[in-house]
Amino acid sequence: EDKVVQSPLSLVVHEGDTVTLNCSYEVTNFRSLLWYKQEKKAPTFLFMLTSSGIEKKSGRLSSILDKKELFSILNITATQTGDSAIYLCAGGGSQGNLIFGKGTKLSVKP
Amino acid sequence: DGGITQSPKYLFRKEGQNVTLSCEQNLNHDAMYWYRQDPGQGLRLIYYSQIVNDFQKGDIAEGYSVSREKKESFPLTVTSAQKNPTAFYLCASSIVVGGLYEQYFGPGTRLTVT
């Protein structure tokens, strides 16, 4: 059965800290790993990763995929209170549907 | 103004009633999806459709039905057979780039059944 497991489930840090969110996956015919940020409403797209070892960066956020060990990490440096959200990881197969993890709830305290 | 719209934002129904949630997109995406989100559960796939007049069950399709008569529209009906319908419902559509599906979400509908 396909599954995506995220850890930790919740995390509390202070502004300026660096955090690492983890995502392991088992997805049949795996094609891509996606990260989303969800605040009070719909998830917003952050990254799509398809190749091992190639880091994707957007400002203070970066992510990398390891297809041999079947995991991905999302790093956030110099965290701000606006980074507080649920971060969702999803594995995509060849049919286009995504398998989501339960998310990591990040709280950044001032 | 392109995007995915869902209506209504909040919906209240009595137990035993069917209710239809709307999802429309003007992004010219072929594939559309319905997810359900419960607290602490992440997103679970209800149904998805990759082309007009075709759709497949996701992991939790029981008690739900869909139609895909137009490319732009993918309405979801929550039937009275759904045991726990109260949830946040998200519609998504995806663009296919090089065989990879990049999904984008609508704003969601929060359904409360009492």
Side-chain angles (χ1 to χ4, degrees):
Chain A
E1 184 184 329
D2 292 346
K3 63 180 178 181
V4 172
V5 179
Q6 292 185 245
S7 65
L9 290 181
S10 66
L11 191 54
V12 181
V13 300
H14 288 94
E15 272 192 314
D17 288 350
T18 293
V19 297
T20 298
L21 310 183
N22 304 295
C23 175
S24 65
Y25 64 89
E26 292 176 33
V27 175
T28 307
N29 296 322
F30 174 81
R31 300 296 302 278
S32 58
L33 191 291
L34 291 85
W35 284 96
Y36 291 86
K37 177 182 182 181
Q38 186 177 27
E39 294 171 272
K40 296 215 185 305
K41 40 187 182 177
T44 53
F45 175 80
L46 292 175
F47 299 112
M48 176 191 274
L49 302 144
T50 57
S51 301
S52 274
I54 298 175
E55 184 182 55
K56 290 218 171 177
K57 265 182 93 68
S58 176
R60 296 176 294 102
L61 276 66
S62 64
S63 183
I64 198 160
L65 175 67
D66 185 327
K67 289 169 78 171
K68 184 179 175 188
E69 300 297 330
L70 307 183
F71 78 88
S72 174
I73 59 172
L74 175 69
N75 279 321
I76 309 175
T77 59
T79 52
Q80 302 170 358
T81 55
D83 294 327
S84 296
I86 295 173
Y87 290 84
L88 296 166
C89 169
S94 57
Q95 297 303 308
N97 52 307
L98 296 179
I99 310 298
F100 280 85
K102 292 186 177 182
T104 293
K105 183 176 180 180
L106 175 65
S107 299
V108 182
K109 303 292 185 191
Chain B
D1 196 18
I4 304 169
T5 56
Q6 291 185 243
S7 61
K9 192 173 179 181
Y10 297 96
L11 190 54
F12 298 88
R13 279 294 182 270
K14 295 285 187 190
E15 204 172 301
Q17 293 179 332
N18 290 355
V19 59
T20 297
L21 281 58
S22 164
C23 177
E24 304 277 330
Q25 54 98 1
N26 60 3
L27 301 168
N28 200 33
H29 287 175
D30 286 313
M32 296 186 74
Y33 310 80
W34 274 106
Y35 293 91
R36 168 184 173 137
Q37 188 174 32
D38 296 283
Q41 288 286 331
L43 275 64
R44 292 184 290 168
L45 182 65
I46 304 173
Y47 269 98
Y48 65 104
S49 166
Q50 294 187 308
I51 54 172
V52 174
N53 292 321
D54 189 42
F55 46 83
Q56 285 77 41
K57 291 182 180 180
D59 300 317
I60 55 165
E62 187 175 343
Y64 299 98
S65 65
V66 293
S67 62
R68 187 88 187 275
E69 295 175 6
K70 298 187 298 182
K71 188 176 185 178
E72 304 79 22
S73 178
F74 191 39
L76 173 75
T77 297
V78 185
T79 75
S80 56
Q82 167 50 233
K83 297 281 183 273
N84 297 297
T86 295
F88 186 46
Y89 290 87
L90 286 160
C91 177
S93 67
S94 69
I95 185 171
V96 183
V97 179
L100 301 173
Y101 294 76
E102 195 169 297
Q103 285 190 22
Y104 295 90
F105 287 86
T109 292
R110 196 167 291 280
L111 173 66
T112 302
V113 176
T114 55

